[in-house]
Amino acid sequence: MTGGARRLGRDALGEALLALPGLRLIEERPSAEPGYRFFVLGLRQPVDHTNPAAGSFEQRLTLLHTSADRPTVLFSTGYEAGLTPRRAEPTVLLGGNQLQVEHRFFGTSRPPSADYSHLTIRQAADDHHRVVRLFRQLYPGAWISTGSSKGGMTSVYHRRFHPRDVAATVAYSAPNNVDDHDDGAYLRFLAGVGSAACRDALRTAQRRILLRRTEMVARYKAWAGAHKATFRIVGSVDKALEIAVLRAPFMFWQYGTPADRAAIPGPDAGADELFAWLDDVAGLALYADTVARRFIPYFYQLGTQLGYFDVPTGHLSGLLRYPDAMDPRTFVPRDIPMRFDPDVMPDIDHWVRHHGDRMLFINGAHDPAVAEPFHPSARDSHLMWAPGANHGATLADLRPTDRAQAVSLLTRWTGNG
C-alpha cells in the first residue's frame, strides 16, 4: 500500500475502497470536475477467468466519484485508460459516478506473460463483469455502460456475455465488422461519402505521393532519423509510407469534415506540402515502432476476432508494392501466433439484433468506421445518426428530436427523472 493510499484510507470513501477485495488505491489526483473526487486504482484480475492457475494481473481503473446515491457509468476505453479526469457524455447528463476500465493487455494492464491467447472479447467482458460486481457494493443504484469506437465495441461485447450487469448501454461510433471476408460496406462508403470533387482530390493526392515515392521516403527517413524512430514491426519506411497513403482517405473522413477539402494538396503541390498533408491526415508517427508497439494488442484483436476494413486501390494500380499492407498481421510481430475466428462477430451481431435490450448506438453519418454498423433489436434499443458528424459523434450532434429522445432514454433507463 502506498503512502497516498494510507492517507486516502482516513476518510469514509477511502476506507470503503480499501475494503474491496483485490483493489489497490494508487493515488487520488486533483479533479477538474466540480463536485467530484478522482482516484487511480488497480484491481487484481485473473489472466484467464476459466483457469485460476493461470495467475493474475493488475488492471488499471479510474474512478470519478460524486455520490453513492447517483447512477454509475461504466466507461470502457477499449485501449489504455486516460489519467486526466474527464466525464463521458452520459456521466455529465446523469450527474453520475464514472468508473473507467483500461482494457486488458493495454497500458499498464498487462499480464506478466506475453501470452496473447488470453486477449479475447470474452476475457475482457469477464473483466468488466468482475468490476461491476465489486463496485456495486459501493454504488447500488442504476448502472449504464458506455464507450466510443473500440470502447463502444467493448461495451457491447460485455453486454453480450453479461447482459444484466448494467441497465443500458450507449455505444458511440462502434464498428461492427460481421464478415471479415466482405469489406464491401467500407468500399461502398468511401466511394460515396462527401462530394465527387473531394473524393477525386483524395485519390489524386494519393497517386501523386506514390508517384513521388522516392522523395517521400527520403523525407520520412529524415523524420525517422530526427525522432530516432525505427520500423521493425511494419518492416520498413517504404512500407509504412504505403500504409499511410492507403489509409489516408479513410482517416480523412473519420476525423475530418468536408471543409478540410481545401487542405488537400492540389496538382501543383510540391513534395513538402504532400508530405506534410499525409502526416497531418494519416499520422506518420503511428507506424514507427514507438507508437506501433503500443497498438500490438489492438491489431492482434483485429486479426483474431474483430476483423478489419479494406480500402479502394484500383486508382493506385501499378504503384503498390505490399499486398499485405492493410493486413493486421503487418502490425503484430511474427513471434505472436494469430488465427482468425470467423464465428465471434456473427455471434455478437446476432445477439444485438435479436436479444440486446436498452442499447443506444450513436454514429456519425460521415464516419467510415461505422459503414457496417450495429443493428439493434426492437427491445427498447435504437440507432441514431448524427448528420455531418465523424468518428467523434456525440448526442450533442444529433438532430434536436433525436437528441431529446436520447436524453429521455437515459433518464428512463436509470430512473433518474
Side-chain angles (χ1 to χ4, degrees):
M1 185 185 302
T2 67
R6 283 193 293 271
R7 289 193 296 274
L8 289 170
R10 292 175 183 170
D11 64 26
L13 177 58
E15 292 284 2
L17 289 169
L18 286 168
L20 296 178
L23 188 71
R24 182 169 70 97
L25 274 67
I26 297 172
E27 63 177 320
E28 179 173 4
R29 293 188 172 190
S31 175
E33 305 284 356
Y36 282 83
R37 294 174 67 181
F38 181 61
F39 299 89
V40 180
L41 310 169
L43 175 64
R44 276 283 131 197
Q45 291 276 26
V47 171
D48 182 352
H49 288 271
T50 67
N51 178 21
S56 66
F57 71 100
E58 185 176 80
Q59 186 167 40
R60 178 64 51 86
L61 312 174
T62 68
L63 172 66
L64 273 165
H65 168 90
T66 183
S67 171
D69 297 329
R70 302 300 303 163
T72 300
V73 174
L74 182 69
F75 176 42
S76 299
T77 68
Y79 300 98
E80 61 190 79
L83 299 184
T84 300
R86 181 184 69 84
R87 289 183 295 168
E89 189 176 47
T91 311
V92 174
L93 292 171
L94 295 171
N97 308 289
Q98 178 176 291
L99 193 61
Q100 178 187 203
V101 182
E102 184 168 81
H103 200 290
R104 59 167 48 211
F105 281 79
F106 289 85
T108 63
S109 301
R110 295 175 178 268
S113 166
D115 182 357
Y116 276 81
S117 67
H118 295 125
L119 176 54
T120 67
I121 63 172
R122 180 57 192 266
Q123 294 283 2
D126 290 350
D127 289 341
H128 286 67
H129 177 58
R130 288 190 73 248
V131 168
V132 173
R133 284 203 309 169
L134 187 68
F135 280 85
R136 198 176 284 281
Q137 299 175 51
L138 301 186
Y139 301 105
W143 284 61
I144 69 163
S145 59
T146 192
S148 179
S149 190
K150 189 169 179 288
M153 297 157 70
T154 302
S155 294
V156 174
Y157 306 155
H158 170 217
R159 283 292 300 283
R160 160 63 183 93
F161 295 107
H162 301 285
R164 302 276 72 87
D165 271 1
V166 296
T169 296
V170 183
Y172 297 83
S173 306
N176 179 34
N177 194 347
V178 181
D179 183 355
D180 193 47
H181 292 294
D182 180 8
D183 291 316
Y186 299 97
L187 299 177
R188 289 190 296 272
F189 185 96
L190 290 170
V193 64
S195 68
C198 188
R199 296 193 301 272
D200 185 62
L202 286 167
R203 288 191 292 265
T204 299
Q206 286 179 287
R207 282 191 58 84
R208 288 179 61 80
I209 291 169
L210 290 178
L211 284 167
R212 306 177 73 162
R213 184 190 286 261
T214 300
E215 296 175 79
M216 295 295 117
V217 169
R219 281 167 171 75
Y220 207 171
K221 285 182 176 178
W223 173 91
H227 292 83
K228 296 181 172 56
T230 57
F231 294 83
R232 296 185 182 92
I233 294 175
V234 302
S236 69
V237 173
D238 188 60
K239 187 173 182 179
L241 179 82
E242 186 165 303
I243 295 168
V245 170
L246 287 171
R247 285 164 54 92
F250 190 98
M251 296 180 77
F252 175 90
W253 291 111
Q254 188 174 20
Y255 297 108
T257 69
D260 295 318
R261 158 73 180 87
I264 301 174
D268 298 326
D272 287 340
E273 184 180 349
L274 287 165
F275 185 82
W277 175 81
L278 182 64
D279 186 21
D280 182 60
V281 171
L284 294 176
L286 295 176
Y287 315 104
D289 292 333
T290 304
V291 178
R293 192 173 295 113
R294 291 168 45 206
F295 289 94
I296 291 171
Y298 168 62
F299 284 100
Y300 176 87
Q301 288 190 278
L302 295 180
T304 55
Q305 292 188 324
L306 308 187
Y308 202 35
F309 63 88
D310 203 356
V311 295
T313 58
H315 60 292
L316 302 175
S317 178
L319 298 175
L320 300 176
R321 298 176 178 174
Y322 305 96
D324 65 340
M326 291 293 293
D327 194 320
R329 174 84 262 185
T330 293
F331 300 90
V332 180
R334 294 286 170 173
D335 61 349
I336 300 175
M338 289 175 64
R339 183 181 66 83
F340 189 76
D341 185 343
D343 298 325
V344 174
M345 289 303 105
D347 171 75
I348 300 291
D349 180 72
H350 182 270
W351 182 84
V352 171
R353 287 174 184 263
H354 299 285
H355 304 288
D357 62 339
R358 296 186 302 278
M359 305 189 79
L360 175 59
F361 295 90
I362 306 296
N363 292 335
H366 280 174
D367 180 12
V370 288
E372 196 171 356
F374 282 101
H375 295 281
S377 75
R379 298 162 62 91
D380 198 10
S381 296
H382 309 266
L383 169 61
M384 298 183 180
W385 292 91
N390 58 22
H391 204 54
T394 67
L395 269 64
D397 297 313
L398 296 172
R399 296 180 181 90
T401 53
D402 286 343
R403 183 166 62 249
Q405 183 187 8
V407 173
S408 176
L409 288 169
L410 277 174
T411 301
R412 176 166 58 83
W413 285 338
T414 58
N416 202 40

